[in-house]
Amino acid sequence: MRQVFDPIEHGTWTSAVVGLGYVGLPLVVTQAEAGIPVLGYDVSRETIDALAQGRSHIDDVSDGELAAVKELARFSADPADLAAADVVFICVPTPLAVGKQPDVAFIERAAEAIAGALRPGQLVVLESTTYPGTTSDVVQPILERSGLKLDEDFLLAYAPERVDPGNRSFGTANIPRVVGGVSADSTAAAEKAYGRFLAKVHPVRDARVAEMAKLLENTFRWVNIALVNEMASIARSIGVDIWEVIDAARTKPFGFMAFYPGPGVGGHCIPLDPFYLQWAARLTGEDARFIELAQVINARMPQVVVSRLQDALNDRALALRGAKVLVLGVAYKPNVRDYRESPSLEIIGLLQHAGAVVSYADPHVPEVDDHGVRLDAVEATPEAVRDADAVLILTDHDDVDYAAIAADAVLVLDTRNACRRRGVHSERVVVL
Ligand SMILES: NC(=O)c1ccc[n+]([C@@H]2O[C@H](COP(=O)([O-])OP(=O)(O)OC[C@H]3O[C@@H](n4cnc5c(N)ncnc54)[C@H](O)[C@@H]3O)[C@@H](O)[C@H]2O)c1
């Protein structure tokens, strides 16, 4: 490695994080906690102003944690400030464009901002989830437009973020990190850099391996969720309780990993990432039939939930049209406020379309405005629960009194098995 990269070699580097969302902000805090001076950069003025005032917008980062690192972590919306950092991490969104095509425009904008401030000695690391080849084919040419050269002036690597919002056992600091550079020096530098603040780093041959490893992980979840959703339908048709089946299967100490059925797949990662892989596969003429099949099964789950609710109401001589439905939980997973791609929104939309009168309660989400659904949360008071013709559990947050819900409700459709998992059993609770 050239002398210009000495701060990285000797562990005296400073850093910058581009994009301060669910991935970027915990990365800022983790580095600062390890004693590394770090600049958080974001295009959102609102985000920067809030952070500069010590207010976090991310569930996994408390205001107290921000206050504890305020000497080392500072925030800016000025891309020129990126020049001061030796290592620059990119943590911007990677959504899907129309037709479920990868949209790497945020990565391009971030790379352009970095290129505008690029100086000899910097290591740039892309953390956003993306298709194999993005780091070398999209980011590298943009950085080289600055006139600086890979290996001589700057280094470039990919290191996928695996953070699992709401997970209290694993966070940025203790999740093993895969790193792959677009050159051997880049891999070595990224391994050194992460080794300064993370427990375990796993270097791989190059950036493409690291990019594909992330997509394999998330596609694995996606197809296994589809498999278990299909199993749930089969179990129901033959009169077997899928939850009991899974509990039995998971006693096998090897060769089985439990996945659970649910109302659909949400969040910014699992429902999107497989399409990045499918797109990359198609470019090479390869089919990705598992991914397609999983999409068909997972995408129909909101409709399955609505049909199931309709059946349960029908059993009580009630129609869905005009029924009062109280939805419990709109976040895409427990104990977070993120409702991006949450199946709850689609389900609420379908219920409204069928003429149901829908309200929702979610201690983490005060209002929703997405997929044509605009609602403010209500409190799941005993009166509200009693007043509903059906309570529909879509997210199993911990801070909900499921025993009280089951006691007060006329009918509960529990798509997460949230009640029984907490020892709450009632004739009025039906599972998906
Ligand atoms: N959220 C997760 O659980 C998770 C886990 C692993 C990987 N990822 C991946 O990490 C990436 C980021 O996801 P996220 O959930 O943190 O996104 P996010 O939407 O929470 O945050 C992204 C941030 O980037 C900012 N931004 C957008 N364009 C920018 C630019 N050009 N320059 C600077 N800032 C910019 C936005 O203002 C926002 O604050 C995605 O590729 C995602 O797939 C997410």
Side-chain angles (χ1 to χ4, degrees):
M1 220 183 290
R2 297 186 65 230
Q3 213 179 351
V4 71
F5 301 110
D6 274 357
I8 296 168
E9 187 78 56
H10 300 139
T12 56
W13 49 273
T14 64
S15 112
V17 175
V18 176
L20 303 174
Y22 286 87
V23 165
L25 189 59
L27 182 65
V28 167
V29 172
T30 304
Q31 292 181 79
E33 284 172 348
I36 300 166
V38 49
L39 170 87
Y41 163 74
D42 202 290
V43 285
S44 161
R45 268 252 159 244
E46 201 185 331
T47 298
I48 293 299
D49 289 348
L51 291 169
Q53 288 161 23
R55 278 185 284 116
S56 168
H57 58 298
I58 298 296
D59 294 297
D60 287 345
V61 174
S62 67
D63 292 354
E65 283 167 312
L66 267 189
V69 297
K70 71 174 194 301
E71 300 302 323
L72 286 169
R74 59 185 195 88
F75 299 97
S76 164
D78 182 357
D81 289 346
L82 297 172
D86 302 301
V87 184
V88 182
F89 300 91
I90 305 175
C91 307
V92 295
T94 41
L96 289 173
V98 178
K100 298 209 180 292
Q101 309 254 343
D103 175 0
V104 293
F106 290 95
I107 293 180
E108 289 169 344
R109 298 292 92 76
E112 283 159 9
I114 295 165
L118 201 66
R119 54 138 178 101
Q122 286 182 306
L123 162 67
V124 178
V125 186
L126 177 62
E127 290 205 355
S128 303
T129 307
T130 185
Y131 60 82
T134 309
T135 313
S136 56
D137 303 349
V138 176
V139 180
Q140 186 180 337
I142 294 175
L143 297 183
E144 283 179 336
R145 273 189 234 148
S146 66
L148 299 182
K149 292 268 165 296
L150 179 74
D151 281 344
E152 281 175 39
D153 303 308
F154 71 91
L155 299 169
L156 175 63
Y158 181 76
E161 177 54 71
R162 294 160 144 177
V163 78
D164 178 21
N167 190 323
R168 293 180 187 134
S169 309
F170 292 99
T172 304
N174 65 348
I175 300 173
R177 178 71 69 141
V178 172
V179 300
V182 296
S183 63
D185 280 358
S186 299
T187 307
E191 184 183 3
K192 269 217 160 253
Y194 280 106
R196 190 170 162 205
F197 66 99
L198 298 186
K200 190 163 169 29
V201 185
H202 180 85
V204 294
R205 178 186 295 268
D206 60 27
R208 275 167 211 261
V209 175
E211 287 161 334
M212 182 139 173
K214 172 69 186 180
L215 294 183
L216 170 61
E217 290 165 18
N218 281 3
T219 303
F220 172 83
R221 284 191 64 73
W222 171 250
V223 299
N224 276 289
I225 292 167
L227 175 67
V228 82
N229 279 333
E230 185 171 81
M231 286 286 161
S233 295
I234 296 171
R236 192 169 140 64
S237 68
I238 59 179
V240 170
D241 184 332
I242 186 66
W243 302 91
E244 222 182 315
V245 170
I246 299 167
D247 277 350
R250 67 183 293 211
T251 61
K252 187 180 179 188
F254 51 87
F256 181 80
M257 184 184 281
F259 286 85
Y260 297 94
V265 186
H268 180 49
C269 297
I270 310 290
L272 279 64
D273 301 349
F275 295 103
Y276 273 69
L277 191 53
Q278 184 184 45
W279 180 84
R282 279 194 183 139
L283 284 188
T284 67
E286 282 290 323
D287 274 345
R289 284 153 75 183
F290 251 104
I291 294 172
E292 268 167 39
L293 188 56
Q295 160 65 2
V296 170
I297 295 170
N298 288 334
R300 74 167 193 216
M301 290 316 291
Q303 187 58 61
V304 168
V305 171
V306 172
S307 303
R308 189 83 179 84
L309 183 64
Q310 200 158 16
D311 291 349
L313 286 166
N314 192 46
D315 288 346
R316 285 153 187 80
L318 287 173
L320 185 53
R321 175 169 298 279
K324 285 187 228 161
V325 179
L326 174 61
V327 167
L328 281 193
V330 291
Y332 81 94
K333 65 188 289 192
N335 311 323
V336 301
R337 66 180 98 164
D338 191 353
Y339 65 89
R340 287 178 294 180
E341 310 294 327
S342 172
S344 302
L345 276 301
E346 187 179 344
I347 292 168
I348 291 173
L350 288 169
L351 291 172
Q352 288 177 332
H353 188 70
V357 182
V358 188
S359 56
Y360 89 89
D362 188 314
H364 299 270
V365 187
E367 58 184 32
V368 289
D369 188 2
D370 200 4
H371 279 72
V373 173
R374 233 227 53 70
L375 286 175
D376 291 327
V378 299
E379 286 262 331
T381 58
E383 298 72 42
V385 171
R386 269 196 293 272
D387 187 46
D389 294 307
V391 173
L392 176 58
I393 300 177
L394 295 179
T395 312
D396 49 341
H397 291 305
D398 286 335
D399 43 1
V400 171
D401 186 347
Y402 292 98
I405 302 285
D408 292 329
V410 187
L411 163 69
V412 180
L413 174 58
D414 184 355
T415 68
R416 301 285 186 179
N417 203 28
C419 295
R420 293 192 315 190
R421 275 195 293 112
R422 291 168 175 85
V424 176
H425 298 271
S426 163
E427 294 271 294
R428 282 173 285 184
V429 178
V430 292
V431 291
L432 193 59

